[in-house]
């Protein structure tokens, strides 16, 4: 091989040779990557099918156990109960395993994202996405407090109100999508605390379409004041719940993918009972909003369908929030009483 000519051309040729060698190493690394990716995909499929088989077998075993348990003698019932506990524990292990395996999206995610795989395969990626979700909620809560305060006390315009309601629709829609992705990745948020975001999305959408008029003006200040209070309580909840979750995770008592919620759960009992009056006051404010709207709907001057369509979601939010919180508090008191009784 002839030596490269002197000058700029020679320098370019030497750089090209170095790039060629680097390119060959990149090609080899990419070949290994594709090979490992195929192996990973095959392992994922094997694990998914094996877990599915054992889950079906466990369900059948649990069904047979429930069927024969009443007819068992007293000395055998303790062994049957122990077996039931082991089956439940095994199902919990499978839940943690499936959090790291690709799975089909639920109906909502399929409608929004199609069949895009949203499973995050590493703990770091899962925690980073969860942390970003929590920050998103915190930042938007602060923004909602400021905008609702501005609309309530500084600006009385249907345009700014519409912008505020549009932000609420976008915020709750985004929360539902992000929460669905987090549930796919092992977060244990479920039940009412998921469903009430869908109700809030519907309510905000109806408020957005409510035209300016007498009925709207009679409810406007009450709604904006409620929005300010609700965002303030959510701000308090975020800080106290996040601190509580951090301590419980450090002690190994909570799952790493557990989230803060707009409500009260049993794990929040340590240092968070002072939030209960704020929560119950907000719940009854939702009931007050519903009753106000039902009264407005009976006014002869009321022509807008939005009045009733806002009243029902507020009533549903009150019932869901109030009775869910009440059930958690009752369960906690019952657990403490049982523990005291055993001692």
């Amino acid at each position: 091989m002839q030596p490269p000519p002197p000058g700029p051309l020679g320098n370019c040729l030497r750089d090209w040779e170095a790039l060629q060698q680097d390119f060959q190493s990149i090609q080899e690394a990419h070949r290994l990557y594709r090979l490992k990716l195929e192996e990973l995909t095959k392992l994922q499929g094997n694990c998914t099918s094996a877990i599915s088989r054992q889950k079906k077998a466990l369900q059948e075993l649990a069904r047979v156990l429930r069927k024969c348990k009443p007819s068992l003698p007293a000395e055998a019932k303790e062994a049957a109960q122990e077996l039931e506990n082991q089956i439940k524990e095994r199902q919990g292990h499978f839940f943690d395993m499936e959090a790291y395996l690709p799975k089909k999206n639920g109906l909502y995610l399929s409608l929004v994202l199609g069949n895009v795989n949203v499973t995050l395969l590493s703990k770091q990626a899962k925690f980073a996405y969860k942390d970003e979700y929590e920050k998103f909620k915190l930042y938007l809560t602060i923004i909602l407090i400021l905008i609702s305060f501005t609309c309530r006390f500084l600006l009385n315009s249907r345009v700014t109100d519409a912008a505020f309601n549009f932000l609420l629709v976008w915020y709750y829609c985004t929360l539902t999508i992000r929460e669905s992705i987090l549930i796919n990745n092992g977060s244990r948020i479920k039940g009412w605390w998921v469903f009430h975001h869908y109700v809030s999305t519907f309510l905000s959408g109806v408020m957005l379409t409510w035209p300016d008029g007498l009925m709207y003006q009679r409810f406007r200040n009450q709604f904006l004041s409620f929005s300010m209070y609700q965002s303030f309580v959510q701000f308090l909840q975020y800080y106290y719940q996040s601190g509580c979750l951090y301590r419980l995770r450090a002690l190994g008592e909570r799952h790493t993918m557990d989230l803060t919620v707009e409500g009260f759960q049993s794990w929040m009992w340590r240092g968070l009972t002072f939030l209960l009056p704020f929560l119950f006051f907000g719940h009854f404010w939702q009931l007050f909003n519903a009753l106000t709207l039902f009264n407005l709907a009976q006014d002869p001057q009321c022509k807008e369908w939005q009045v009733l369509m806002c009243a029902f979601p507020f009533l549903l939010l009150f019932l869901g929030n109030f009775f869910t919180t009440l059930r958690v508090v009752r369960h906690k008191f019952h657990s403490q009483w049982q523990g005291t009784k055993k001692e």
Side-chain angles (χ1 to χ4, degrees), residues 144 147-148 150-152 155-171 203-212 216-217 220 223-224:
L144 289 171
I147 296 179
S148 57
T150 302
C151 292
R152 174 66 178 84
L155 299 173
N156 188 352
S157 168
R158 187 65 186 92
V159 175
T160 53
D161 291 357
F164 173 66
N165 286 310
F166 179 80
L167 180 61
L168 284 175
V169 173
W170 175 79
Y171 171 62
L203 173 61
S204 302
V206 176
M207 286 294 300
L208 178 62
T209 65
W210 193 345
D212 197 5
Y216 177 80
Q217 290 299 326
R220 174 184 182 273
F223 172 72
L224 291 173

Side-chain angles (χ1 to χ4, degrees), residues 136-199:
F136 170 79
K137 284 175 60 178
L138 175 63
Y139 297 154
L140 262 295
T141 299
I142 296 172
I143 292 171
L144 289 171
I145 293 175
L146 296 175
I147 296 179
S148 57
F149 177 87
T150 302
C151 292
R152 174 66 178 84
F153 296 107
L154 302 179
L155 299 173
N156 188 352
S157 168
R158 187 65 186 92
V159 175
T160 53
D161 291 357
F164 173 66
N165 286 310
F166 179 80
L167 180 61
L168 284 175
V169 173
W170 175 79
Y171 171 62
Y172 286 120
C173 281
T174 306
L175 280 186
T176 58
I177 296 171
R178 291 179 182 232
E179 283 172 351
S180 297
I181 294 174
L182 285 165
I183 290 170
N184 258 29
N185 284 277
S187 288
R188 297 173 185 267
I189 180 173
K190 56 184 179 180
W192 170 252
W193 305 123
V194 175
F195 181 70
H196 94 291
H197 281 158
Y198 293 93
V199 179

Side-chain angles (χ1 to χ4, degrees), residues 105-125:
N105 294 336
L107 176 61
Y108 181 64
L109 275 183
S110 296
L111 291 173
V112 175
L113 301 177
N115 291 324
V116 176
N117 180 23
V118 295
T119 305
L120 304 171
L121 298 181
S122 69
K123 285 185 178 180
Q124 293 82 1

